[in-house]
Amino acid sequence: MRVLIVTAVPAERDAVTRAFGLTAEGAGTGCYDVIAAGVGPAAAAAGTATALALGSYGLVVSAGIGGGFHAAPGSLLVADAIVAADLGAETPDGFVPVTGLGFGTVEHRPPAALVRAVADATGATTGTVLTASTVTGTAERAAGLLAAHPAAVAEAMEGFGVAEAAAQAGLPVLEIRAVSNAVGPRDRDAWRIGDALTALTTAFGKLAPVLEGWNRI
């Protein structure tokens, strides 16, 4: 059984493949296929669905870097819930998620036992990882997200799209994020993208036994 690992951009894909001793050209070697599907939930969903249609998998993993809530750059976070933070409608009374409109879903839950195993193996913090089509750039927006999602530990742009495609295929999903910056006002001088990519490589270097163990469950 193979694992599909979906990243957004080539730098994230390469960080993951390095952990398995692969090159980008060899990203389909062994038990893992690692792809860079593009930025945002739509590209992530389309890229994941295409890969799933072309291969046979037992697990889908959304992996990459992202913004952290109260988490230092280089920290590792694993989702116990993957939530679409901005899928819904604005109303005079505020934002209403799509579920409040009577259709759709805004949350996917990775397998709890797998989340615990990943956290134990990597030292990751668990919590809700938010998917947003527009990255937060103000303190007010960050505070609003935390008010709506008190368990949020990270914000990224692809996890929910990956999870939607996995759910359509009847497959479990996992999301892992390494923190590159704080969610809030954009301060590029404070970003630590290199540290986050290194943390991603380190994490996946520890995850092979966990993922292969899950394959046997």
Side-chain angles (χ1 to χ4, degrees):
M1 184 172 64
R2 297 182 70 81
V3 178
L4 176 65
I5 302 173
V6 183
T7 68
V9 297
E12 294 170 328
R13 178 199 61 202
D14 295 348
V16 174
T17 58
R18 278 195 298 273
F20 298 128
L22 306 174
T23 64
E25 292 74 17
T29 304
C31 298
Y32 310 99
D33 288 336
V34 189
I35 65 170
V39 175
T48 303
T50 298
L52 292 177
L54 296 174
S56 178
Y57 300 96
L59 174 67
V60 183
V61 181
S62 176
I65 65 176
F69 293 98
H70 311 304
S75 300
L76 193 72
L77 308 171
V78 58
D80 58 18
I82 301 169
V83 173
D86 54 7
L87 181 61
E90 291 290 343
T91 76
D93 297 320
F95 176 77
V96 176
V98 71
T99 48
L101 303 176
F103 53 90
T105 185
V106 294
E107 179 178 293
H108 292 281
R109 289 270 178 177
L114 181 58
V115 171
R116 288 194 299 270
V118 169
D120 289 345
T122 63
T125 297
T126 62
T128 299
V129 176
L130 304 179
T131 298
S133 296
T134 302
V135 172
T136 296
T138 67
E140 291 77 13
R141 170 67 173 161
L145 288 173
L146 278 176
H149 307 282
V153 293
E155 174 192 78
M157 300 182 74
E158 293 80 31
F160 187 79
V162 174
E164 283 279 88
Q168 288 289 326
L171 294 173
V173 68
L174 185 69
E175 183 171 11
I176 299 169
R177 293 285 163 182
V179 176
S180 58
N181 58 279
V183 178
R186 290 174 67 80
D187 178 6
R188 296 203 63 159
D189 290 338
W191 292 1
R192 298 292 181 266
I193 292 176
D195 291 344
L197 292 172
T198 297
L200 200 62
T201 300
T202 301
F204 274 91
K206 299 174 181 178
L207 280 180
V210 174
L211 298 180
E212 290 163 14
W214 171 256
N215 290 344
R216 292 192 293 269
I217 291 175

